[in-house]
Amino acid sequence: MSERSIGKVISVDSFRAYIRLDDDLKSLYKSGYEDIFEVARINSYVIIPIGSDKIVAMVTSVRSIDETEIGKNKEAIFLTKSARYLVATMIGTIENSGKYIQGVYNYPILDNPVWYVTSQDLDNIFDQKKKQDSEKINFDDDYYLPIGTSPSFPDYKIKINPDKFFGKHAAILGNTGSGKSCTFASIIQSMFDFDYNGKKLKNAHIIIFDTNGEYKQAFQGTKENPYKNLELVNPFHIDKDGLKVPFWFMNFDDFDFLFRPSELTQAPILKTAIGYSKSKSDSTNPNIISKHYERFITSILESDDLFMKKYHKPSSSWVINPSNEIVELSNEIPAQFSDIKSQLTLLGLEVNKIKEIKIKESLETFYLEYLTQKEQNKKTVSESIDHPKYFDFSELIANSINQAIDDSEGSSQKVREHLSTLKMRLHSYLSDERISNPLLLSQKEDIESGLAKFIAFIVGDFCKVFKTTDADILSEYHKKQLSKVECEKLESNKPSQVTIIDMSLLPFEVLETITGLIGRLILDFTSRLPESDRGKLPMVIALEEAQNYIPEKNRGDRESIAKKVFERIAREGRKYGISLLVSSQRPSELSKTVLSQCNSFIIHRLPKPRRPKIC
C-alpha cells in the first residue's frame, strides 16, 4: 500500500466518487515525507490513481457513520464502530507527462486507492511550473491569465485561458452585494493588464449591457484617477442620449411583443399595415386601391344591364377632356367612388394620354392589370414586413392601419372598433418620450446606411464608418464623445474594445425589446459573414442582471422577445464567434436553456434554496 493512501473508493457515478477513509487515520492530517497534509477538508483535493494517470477530485462532503457490530452471542455487548466517508467530485486528470486537463476519461474501480494531494500535484493543477527566463509562454496550452487566489490553497493563483473561457459561454452567479460586477470587471481588466510576451489585446469586442450604470467608472475611471489602460481599451460609453435604437429595425415579432395586439383581429391588421408603410416608403407607386372601389368595378363588369340602368349617359361613355377632368359623372355614384380620376391613376391608367374612354372597355383592361399588380403588391408587402426599412410611425397610425382595415374581410366598422384600443396604445407610445426617444418613434427621416452604422456603433467600430459630414443621430453622438476631455474623451480613428450600453434609465416596457433587438442584429450580422471571416470579429456579450430580460417564466401570456434571441445565441452563437457572459442574482429565475449552455461558472454567495416545512 502506498504511503500516500488515505482510503479507498466504495462507489462511483458519472461525476462523483464515494470514499471510505482508512480506519487507522485518526485525524484530519497525515504525515508525509515533505510535509503534513490535510485530508477530509471541504474544497480540498484528493488524488485517485488510475494506471499512469491521476484523477483530481474536489471534496464536497464529509460524514461519519456509526456501524454497530452484532455478534452471534447476543448476550455480549459491543461498542459502536465509527467510519468516516468523503464525497468528492471528479474535476480533472493529471496525465503521466504532468499536464493537467479538465474532465475525466477513465473512471476508478471499486476499492481503488485514494491519495492525499502533494505540492507537485498542486503545481500541475494550478499551472505553477516555473519557466526559464528564455522560455516564452505557450498561450495555446497554458492557463496564463491570473484572476485571483485559491481560498483553499492561498499560495496558488487561479489562472484561466481567455480564449477558452470566452470562447464558450460563462455565468457569474451570486446574490446582491456578493461581488459579481467586481468579478467581471476584474477579469476584463486583467485581460488588458496582462503582458502576452510583449503584446496587448487589440481585437476584443466586449459589449456590456449595463443595467445598473456601474461599468463606466470601471473602464474610464475618474478625472482624479483615470483607468490606467484607457488609451488601449478606448471604452465607448453609450448613455441615454446615445442609446437610440431605430424602431424600423424591428421585425414583426418585436412589434408584436412591444405593442401587444390581440392575435385574432389586431395582429393581422397591424402586420398588414406595417407592410403597407414599409412598401410605401420603398415605392413611388404602390398601386394599392380601396376594397370599396374594387367591389364597384366588379359590379360594373358583372352586369351590363346594371351599368346601363344606373350609370347610362347619352354618349354611352364618360368623356375626359384634354385637361384630364371628368366632364360628366353620375350623382348616383357613392361618395367613396367619386374621385374616379385618382383611382384610375392609382391603377396605372394613363388618363393624360387619351381624350375619350369607354368605361366598359377601359375597366376590363386595367382591372386585369390591377389583379396582376395586386398579387405582386401582396408579395411585396409580405416581404417588406421584416426588412429594416424606414417608415413614418405617425403615418402608420393615421393611414396604413385604416388602409389595412379597408382591405380586410368582413365589416370594416366592426374591425375599426376592435382596432381602437391598439391605435390608442400606439398613440400613447408615440407621445411618451420615455419610449419614443430611445426607439426614435418620432423620427421623420431615414438614417443613411443606418443598419451598418448602428451595428458598428454597438460593436465599437464606428470609427470605420464615421464621416464628419454626416448629421444623423449616431454620428452626432460620436462627435460629442470625440470632443470630451480627459477620461471621457473617445480616441478618434481607433476602435473601442469595450462598449458599455447604459440601460439604467430605460423604462421597463422597452427593456426586453431593445436588448433583444440589439442581440438579434448582432447575431444576424455575424451569421452573414463569410466562413473565412468567422472568428476574426470575436464578441463577448455581457448581460448584467440577466434575469430581467432572459427570464425562465414569461411575464404574462407572451414569450419574452429577448429570451428567444439570447437562447438562440446560447445555442448557435459560438459558431459565429459570439459568447455570452450572464450575471444574475436570481439563477432560479434565469432561462434554464441559457444556463445549460454555459461551460464555466463563477459562484459567489447564494441564498439557501427553499425547503418545505415539516409538520
Side-chain angles (χ1 to χ4, degrees), residues 291-340:
K291 182 72 72 173
H292 297 299
Y293 191 63
E294 182 182 344
R295 291 169 183 164
F296 171 64
I297 297 173
T298 305
S299 67
I300 293 176
L301 295 176
E302 285 178 351
S303 175
D304 285 341
D305 293 336
L306 175 62
F307 171 73
M308 295 298 292
K309 289 178 181 178
K310 198 167 186 179
Y311 304 111
H312 176 66
K313 290 293 177 182
S315 63
S316 298
S317 65
W318 285 338
V319 179
I320 300 179
N321 62 19
S323 63
N324 301 328
E325 294 178 353
I326 296 176
V327 176
E328 294 180 313
L329 182 62
S330 171
N331 293 330
E332 299 181 34
I333 297 179
Q336 63 264 36
F337 309 140
S338 59
D339 192 4
I340 300 296

Side-chain angles (χ1 to χ4, degrees), residues 8 10 12 69 73 158 208 212 248 300 316 360 387 408 456 502 547 550 566:
K8 62 182 180 180
I10 61 172
V12 181
E69 294 183 3
N73 185 0
I158 303 297
I208 305 174
N212 298 317
W248 58 91
I300 293 176
S316 298
K360 188 65 166 44
H387 286 187
S408 65
D502 189 348
Q547 74 279 354
I550 45 175
F566 287 111

Side-chain angles (χ1 to χ4, degrees), residues 28 157 185 191 216 267 308 320 324 344 513 519-520 609:
L28 298 180
K157 290 184 177 181
M191 290 175 59
K216 177 182 178 181
M308 295 298 292
I320 300 179
N324 301 328
L344 296 180
T513 299
R520 179 174 61 80

Side-chain angles (χ1 to χ4, degrees), residues 425-489:
R425 195 176 305 124
L426 297 179
H427 272 294
S428 67
Y429 279 38
L430 180 60
S431 59
D432 189 346
E433 293 185 356
R434 299 178 312 115
I435 297 175
S436 63
N437 281 349
L439 289 175
L440 299 178
L441 297 182
S442 301
Q443 182 86 355
K444 292 300 182 182
E445 59 183 10
D446 195 3
I447 299 175
E448 184 181 356
S449 303
L451 185 58
K453 286 183 177 179
F454 181 77
I455 292 175
F457 188 79
I458 294 296
V459 171
D461 287 344
F462 196 73
C463 63
K464 298 178 181 179
V465 298
F466 172 68
K467 297 178 182 178
T468 55
T469 56
D470 290 345
D472 58 82
I473 195 168
L474 301 177
S475 298
E476 290 297 327
Y477 184 80
H478 188 75
K479 291 178 187 177
K480 182 180 177 182
Q481 305 309 305
L482 294 176
S483 64
K484 289 186 175 181
V485 296
E486 298 180 342
C487 64
E488 294 186 349
K489 178 179 173 59

Side-chain angles (χ1 to χ4, degrees), residues 577-595:
I578 304 177
S579 57
L580 287 178
L581 195 152
V582 297
S583 174
S584 176
Q585 58 178 282
R586 297 299 298 257
S588 61
E589 297 178 5
L590 192 62
S591 167
K592 289 183 173 58
T593 300
V594 173
L595 279 179

